[in-house]
Amino acid sequence: MADPFPDCEVIGTDLSPTQVNIAPPNVTFEIDDSQSVWTYPENSFDYIHIRGLFDSISDWPRFYKECFTHIQPGGFLEHFEFSVIARAEDGSLTPGNPFTRWSQNAKEAGDKIGKTFEIAEHTKYLIAQAGFIDVVEERFKWPIGPWSSDAKLKELGRWNLLSWEEGMEG
Ligand SMILES: C[S@@+](CC[C@H](N)C(=O)[O-])C[C@H]1O[C@@H](n2cnc3c(N)ncnc32)[C@H](O)[C@@H]1O
């Protein structure tokens, strides 16, 4: 976003200091809890992009409302989220399968701490509830591992497998 629009100001936020050292000059990073009351002025953003905040937010309606308040009229909210509930089209994820159990355990863990893992499934409804209009949902398959015969999905699957292998234990 910062590269094709060099005149815009981009702010990247995360609760942890995960930010990269190299970024375009119009990017700044802030360590911030997105669940806190937002201190940015109202109507101050043209576009807010959220990615991968499953298991991070305890009150999604309130969070989306903050987005609505801080995006100026005519602006955009984009939420890219993925489901941690693994699915298999070939029926291999049977109820006793370890991966199926992992998904269930993750869901239970999120419910116990009050920060759901199941947000991808509800974003469209909740975003509309916050007041946004023209809400569009696109769903994508995201293979885990390089099993797909489609070259693009195969490549995505390779990266996704790495992501799962590195993140699953946590
Ligand atoms: C799955 S990672 C996604 C990271 C990044 N957004 C991406 O898509 O590559 C989840 C991130 O959410 C951050 N996080 C968790 N709770 C948060 C909160 N309340 N406010 C801001 N960031 C939070 C974590 O520090 C972690 O870096």
Side-chain angles (χ1 to χ4, degrees), residues 99-127:
F99 205 177
T100 308
R101 286 170 43 216
W102 186 93
S103 292
Q104 285 164 350
N105 288 341
K107 181 183 151 5
E108 278 176 38
D111 292 344
K112 277 185 184 164
I113 64 168
K115 293 180 178 177
T116 183
F117 271 81
E118 285 185 299
I119 187 58
E121 291 80 357
H122 305 292
T123 46
K124 185 181 182 188
Y125 171 77
L126 292 172
I127 286 172

Side-chain angles (χ1 to χ4, degrees), residues 49-89:
H49 173 84
I50 306 161
R51 193 176 74 170
L53 279 191
F54 68 90
D55 187 35
S56 300
I57 303 295
S58 51
D59 188 345
W60 279 100
R62 180 172 170 270
F63 177 75
Y64 285 136
K65 204 73 192 166
E66 286 284 48
C67 295
F68 188 78
T69 302
H70 291 86
I71 293 175
Q72 62 171 302
F76 291 87
L77 172 71
E78 180 178 49
H79 186 172
F80 177 89
E81 198 54 72
F82 55 98
S83 176
V84 298
I85 311 299
R87 297 170 177 86
E89 290 172 343

Side-chain angles (χ1 to χ4, degrees), residues 5-170:
F5 300 103
D7 293 332
C8 78
E9 185 190 347
V10 177
I11 305 170
T13 68
D14 197 292
L15 193 56
S16 307
T18 58
Q19 295 77 13
V20 292
N21 293 323
I22 303 169
N26 52 335
V27 174
T28 53
F29 292 114
E30 296 178 5
I31 295 173
D32 206 351
D33 184 346
S34 58
Q35 296 195 105
S36 307
V37 174
W38 291 19
T39 52
Y40 307 106
E42 292 185 8
N43 301 325
S44 57
F45 295 109
D46 298 305
Y47 166 81
I48 292 178
H49 173 84
I50 306 161
R51 193 176 74 170
L53 279 191
F54 68 90
D55 187 35
S56 300
I57 303 295
S58 51
D59 188 345
W60 279 100
R62 180 172 170 270
F63 177 75
Y64 285 136
K65 204 73 192 166
E66 286 284 48
C67 295
F68 188 78
T69 302
H70 291 86
I71 293 175
Q72 62 171 302
F76 291 87
L77 172 71
E78 180 178 49
H79 186 172
F80 177 89
E81 198 54 72
F82 55 98
S83 176
V84 298
I85 311 299
R87 297 170 177 86
E89 290 172 343
D90 65 358
S92 53
L93 283 181
T94 53
N97 181 290
F99 205 177
T100 308
R101 286 170 43 216
W102 186 93
S103 292
Q104 285 164 350
N105 288 341
K107 181 183 151 5
E108 278 176 38
D111 292 344
K112 277 185 184 164
I113 64 168
K115 293 180 178 177
T116 183
F117 271 81
E118 285 185 299
I119 187 58
E121 291 80 357
H122 305 292
T123 46
K124 185 181 182 188
Y125 171 77
L126 292 172
I127 286 172
Q129 285 291 107
F132 289 94
I133 58 168
D134 300 332
V135 182
V136 176
E137 179 184 59
E138 285 187 75
R139 292 192 177 214
F140 304 92
K141 288 181 195 172
W142 197 6
I144 303 171
W147 52 263
S148 176
S149 53
D150 177 274
K152 185 179 178 198
L153 291 179
K154 187 183 274 297
E155 175 74 2
L156 290 175
R158 277 201 187 95
W159 287 107
N160 197 22
L161 178 62
L162 177 68
S163 170
W164 274 94
E165 286 178 346
E166 294 206 339
M168 215 170 190
E169 186 180 346

